Amino acid sequence: MRIKILLTAILCSVVGFAQSINDYKAVIIPLKYEFMKTDNQYRLATLSKQNLTKGGFEAFYSNEQLPEGYTDRCQVLYMDVIRDNAFLVTKLIIQFKDCFGQVVFTSEAGKSREKEYEIAYKEALDNAFKSVYALHYKYSGNPVANSKTSAPVKAAVATTVVATPVSTASSPDLKDPNLLYAQPTESGYQLIDKTPKVVMKLLKTSQPNVYIAIKDNVQGSLILKEDGQWYFESYQNDKLVSEKIVVKF
């Protein structure tokens, strides 16, 4: 049943989002996908960038300093690779998400029956990229509208959508030197600075204005308060500490 739903989502995404893909300037690649234990394990981040470049995309690792013209996080896509567990078969699925965590494109599952992990993951990823090549990507030069209402329609895989913050949050000062950018992940967000460096990891909860937050190995909560600002709260030496966080989702 899960495979049937996924195939339906793939067909919808390929047909419905091929043109909107061209409105994004580049793709950001995480160094570590959810199923990986270490950064660039099996060279998947490296292979992702090579394949994206082959497909005509500008591609950057999430820890790279982005060049001028790429500072608006909503003008780029965020790549993810999902492993679909299957008996004796390695299956990888590529997804592109926008800055709100909405799925813009889902590839067909790339498969490999190789037993050695490094060979199997490379073959499965290369096969998944065949769907990406079929898009014939070419940047249109049309900027993506930076609003939730104008974002592309979600693909049919509802479980991959990340909850977005409530609309009562105040607009951040984009000139603030402490401004952090929210980059969607499978379980929530990671907040990165302008370097970009990962400063904090957020895990979504049942409340859109509350996240489980991890900063410098300290676990706490990121909470949207009545003043429209986000605060990281944690206990340090048995004392509650509240720190204002300026973040652009």
Side-chain angles (χ1 to χ4, degrees):
M1 179 62 70
R2 181 171 180 266
I3 297 299
K4 290 181 179 179
I5 295 174
L6 184 58
L7 290 175
T8 302
I10 291 169
L11 292 174
C12 291
S13 60
V14 171
V15 174
F17 299 118
Q19 292 185 341
S20 65
I21 285 284
N22 296 326
D23 295 335
Y24 293 89
K25 299 178 68 172
V27 179
I28 305 297
I29 308 162
L31 295 181
K32 180 182 176 183
Y33 298 118
E34 192 74 20
F35 60 90
M36 295 163 57
K37 295 182 180 179
T38 59
D39 288 351
N40 203 20
Q41 189 177 20
Y42 309 118
R43 299 183 65 247
L44 285 184
T46 301
L47 294 170
S48 295
K49 188 169 186 178
Q50 291 176 353
N51 277 286
L52 285 168
T53 302
K54 182 180 177 181
F57 293 86
E58 287 281 348
F60 304 97
Y61 297 122
S62 58
N63 66 341
E64 280 189 77
Q65 175 70 52
L66 298 183
E68 186 176 353
Y70 292 87
T71 54
D72 186 344
R73 300 284 163 167
C74 285
Q75 301 304 312
V76 300
L77 289 167
Y78 299 88
M79 180 178 171
D80 191 15
V81 174
I82 301 168
R83 183 179 63 186
D84 186 17
N85 295 325
F87 183 64
L88 298 179
V89 180
T90 298
K91 292 185 180 181
L92 297 181
I93 298 165
I94 297 168
Q95 284 192 339
F96 293 149
K97 298 178 182 179
D98 64 16
C99 63
F100 302 120
Q102 293 180 321
V103 177
V104 177
F105 169 79
T106 302
S107 76
E108 294 184 25
K111 303 177 183 179
S112 174
R113 294 187 178 275
E114 292 287 341
K115 294 181 179 180
E116 187 177 339
Y117 281 136
E118 187 162 356
I119 298 175
Y121 280 125
K122 181 183 184 304
E123 183 177 24
L125 186 66
D126 288 345
N127 287 333
F129 260 101
K130 292 178 181 179
S131 298
V132 178
Y133 298 151
L135 296 174
H136 302 294
Y137 168 82
K138 185 176 181 181
Y139 179 51
S140 65
N142 299 321
V144 177
N146 190 357
S147 70
K148 296 179 185 178
T149 55
S150 57
V153 180
K154 289 179 277 187
V157 189
T159 56
T160 61
V161 178
V162 178
T164 52
V166 292
S167 59
T168 53
S170 299
S171 298
D173 180 3
L174 300 183
K175 295 182 180 180
D176 191 319
N178 298 316
L179 177 65
L180 301 178
Y181 295 89
Q183 187 180 80
T185 64
E186 278 298 307
S187 53
Y189 292 93
Q190 60 182 17
L191 303 187
I192 59 176
D193 58 21
K194 295 179 180 179
T195 310
K197 171 188 173 184
V198 177
V199 176
M200 183 182 297
K201 293 186 178 181
L202 304 181
L203 304 176
K204 60 184 177 180
T205 69
S206 60
Q207 300 299 316
N209 61 340
V210 178
Y211 289 91
I212 298 170
I214 303 171
K215 180 184 179 184
D216 297 329
N217 294 322
V218 176
Q219 182 170 318
S221 299
L222 187 71
I223 304 171
L224 179 64
K225 296 196 174 182
E226 294 179 357
D227 60 357
Q229 303 295 327
W230 291 94
Y231 291 87
F232 174 60
E233 294 191 344
S234 62
Y235 276 92
Q236 299 180 26
N237 298 322
D238 295 327
K239 181 180 179 181
L240 180 62
V241 178
S242 182
E243 175 189 358
K244 181 180 175 181
I245 302 294
V246 183
V247 54
K248 176 176 172 57
F249 283 94

